[in-house]
């Protein structure tokens, strides 16, 4: 069948790579894609939130399946648009409905969902400009550090963790005053949880689910997890400390109640749930939901899935996941992100990338790249993810670092300590 992947990052290159392995995948399109996807699929220049352009692309190319990578089109209701549009009704689109996507689109909604379904999470309260004084009083009842979250999508920047109470009160006022525009009209204040984080990925068809491999990402720009937050500088799968006991708790207390909650609330959800979990002592609690796969977690989770990916996506759409076997590669995967110097602050684009063809032991997933004539050039902060598989995560990381050394571009930077805390 003809398949379209929406998005342009390392996550979408990885989706395309998995789909292309299937004999069932005839023509593969990625919109807008990058230089990596251009090498084996057809890139289509369009915006992932331009639903009528997507509709035209799907109709013109007889596309039967669409995989949505990023959250924006989901939060804006792309799945509902497909269901309501005559020419798109039968297209197998993978992604939750608009109501489902609110689990990521609104932190307050996510907290209410967790409370309603008894899913363990940090204690919280939410506030608007009318309740600013109550918010300040609520902060007084907590102990530091204080966690303030903009309710809406804020490009990954909407969570603030602050030590000082008066600074926390000032930030609350600034957020409610429009610091993140409409995204911080409501602010969730929550109890700080002290523990170690991991990401759990679930594929659900709305009735059944499969727990996919776990992953841990490294979000800070600097070694030792210091410095500014990024989209993610590297990842490892599986997470060594996610043993059978912890995974059982996560499945019983978090995964099952989440899927059951979606069912009880009659929310159409056929897609990925990315559950950000923090282990406090021995107990898992939910930090956040995302309604898509993570990036760069996808670059370590998907290469470990051996099941035909078109079959898996189709079973999700047809609600047959209960009878769909899923085979996972027992090896570990590690990915290292090569980024543009300056990222996550200002950086240059258009730098020529060389040496990718010399990488033989790893898979090179493009993130922020594009073609410039015959050259592949940088086109974003996160440029390339280098993924390796090996019998344990240390060997996989080592392999990725050996491959990273073969790639160059002006002001290339990467962390050399991925996995340091495991
Ligand atoms: P989020 O955007 O919800 O993923 O939050 C960004 C990061 O803030 C998380 O990955 C955590 O490291 C941290 N964080 C969020 N909520 C809490 C919390 N209640 N306690 C401790 N850390 C938190
Ligand atoms: N790596 C974190 C995310 O995709 O949100």
């Amino acid at each position: 069948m003809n398949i379209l992947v929406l998005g342009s990052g390392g996550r979408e290159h990885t989706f395309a790579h998995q789909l292309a392995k299937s004999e069932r995948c005839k023509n593969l399109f990625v919109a807008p894609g990058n230089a990596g996807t251009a090498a084996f699929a057809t890139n289509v220049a369009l915006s992932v939130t331009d639903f009528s352009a997507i509709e035209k692309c799907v109709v013109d190319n007889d596309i039967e399946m669409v995989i949505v990578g990023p959250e924006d089109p989901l939060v804006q209701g792309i799945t509902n648009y497909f269901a309501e549009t005559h020419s798109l009704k039968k297209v197998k689109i993978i992604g939750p409905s608009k109501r489902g996507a609110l689990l990521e689109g609104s932190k307050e909604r996510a907290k209410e969902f967790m409370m309603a379904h008894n899913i363990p999470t940090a204690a919280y309260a939410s506030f608007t400009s009318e309740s600013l004084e109550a918010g300040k009083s609520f902060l007084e009842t907590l102990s530091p550090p204080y966690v303030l979250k903009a309710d809406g999508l804020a490009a990954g920047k909407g969570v603030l963790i602050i030590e000082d109470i008066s600074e926390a009160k000032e930030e609350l006022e600034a957020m409610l005053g429009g610091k993140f525009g409409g995204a911080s009209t409501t602010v969730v204040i929550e109890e700080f949880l002290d523990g170690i984080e991991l990401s759990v990925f679930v594929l659900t068809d709305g009735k059944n689910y499969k727990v996919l491999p776990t992953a841990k990402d490294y979000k800070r720009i600097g070694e030792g997890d210091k410095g500014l937050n990024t989209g993610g500088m590297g990842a490892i799968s599986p997470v060594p400390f996610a043993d059978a006991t912890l995974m059982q708790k996560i499945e019983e207390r978090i995964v099952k109640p989440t899927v059951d909650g979606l069912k009880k609330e009659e929310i159409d959800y056929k897609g990925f749930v990315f559950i950000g979990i923090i282990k406090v002592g021995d107990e898992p609690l939910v930090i956040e939901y995302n309604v898509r796969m993570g990036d760069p977690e996808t670059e370590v989770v998907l290469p470990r899935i051996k099941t035909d990916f078109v079959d898996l996506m189709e079973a999700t759409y047809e609600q047959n996941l209960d009878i769909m076997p899923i085979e996972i590669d027992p090896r570990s995967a590690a990915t290292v992100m090569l980024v543009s110097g300056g990222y996550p602050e200002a950086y240059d684009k258009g730098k020529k990338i060389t040496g990718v063809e010399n990488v033989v032991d790893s898979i090179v997933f493009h993130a922020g790249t594009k073609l410039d004539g015959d050259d592949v050039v940088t086109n974003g902060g996160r440029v390339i993810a280098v993924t390796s598989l090996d019998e344990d995560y240390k060997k996989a990381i080592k392999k990725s670092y050996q491959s990273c050394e073969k790639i160059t571009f002006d002001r290339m930077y990467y962390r050399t300590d991925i996995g340091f805390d495991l």
Side-chain angles (χ1 to χ4, degrees), residues 151-316:
D151 175 55
L153 295 183
K157 297 191 167 59
V159 175
L160 299 173
I161 297 178
I162 300 169
E163 283 296 331
D164 180 68
I165 180 91
S166 37
E167 202 186 312
K169 288 179 182 172
E170 279 167 29
E171 273 299 341
L172 175 65
E173 193 158 351
M175 286 170 89
L176 293 174
K179 177 169 178 161
F180 296 103
S184 61
T185 309
T186 298
V187 172
V188 171
I189 300 179
E190 67 179 42
E191 163 202 16
F192 178 81
L193 300 173
D194 193 6
I196 179 158
E197 289 178 58
L198 76 151
S199 305
V200 172
F201 298 93
V202 177
L203 181 61
T204 181
D205 59 16
K207 287 186 184 161
N208 315 288
Y209 67 85
K210 296 278 186 218
V211 180
L212 304 179
T214 55
K216 178 155 183 57
D217 81 334
Y218 291 82
K219 287 201 178 86
R220 303 299 188 97
I221 188 73
E223 316 253 304
D225 267 339
K226 304 261 160 47
L228 293 173
N229 247 324
T230 71
M233 297 295 291
I236 282 171
S237 173
V239 179
F241 63 80
D243 58 15
T245 314
L246 181 66
M247 288 312 291
Q248 199 189 345
K249 286 182 185 171
I250 290 174
E251 186 160 356
E252 288 302 322
R253 300 177 192 172
I254 295 171
V255 177
K256 273 195 191 134
T258 298
V259 176
D260 286 344
L262 293 170
K263 269 189 275 189
K264 274 187 209 143
E265 297 192 24
E266 297 181 354
I267 293 171
D268 290 325
Y269 201 121
K270 295 174 178 178
F272 298 93
V273 195
F274 163 164
I275 313 179
I277 288 177
I278 189 160
K279 176 174 157 292
V280 180
D282 289 327
E283 310 308 326
L285 292 99
V286 177
I287 290 265
E288 63 164 348
Y289 287 112
N290 293 304
V291 297
R292 52 171 172 88
M293 283 298 291
D295 193 353
E297 292 94 330
T298 306
E299 289 91 309
V300 288
V301 170
L302 261 52
R304 297 186 58 225
I305 299 177
K306 292 170 104 175
T307 313
D308 182 290
F309 210 68
V310 177
D311 287 348
L312 193 59
M313 293 297 98
E314 187 170 60
T316 304

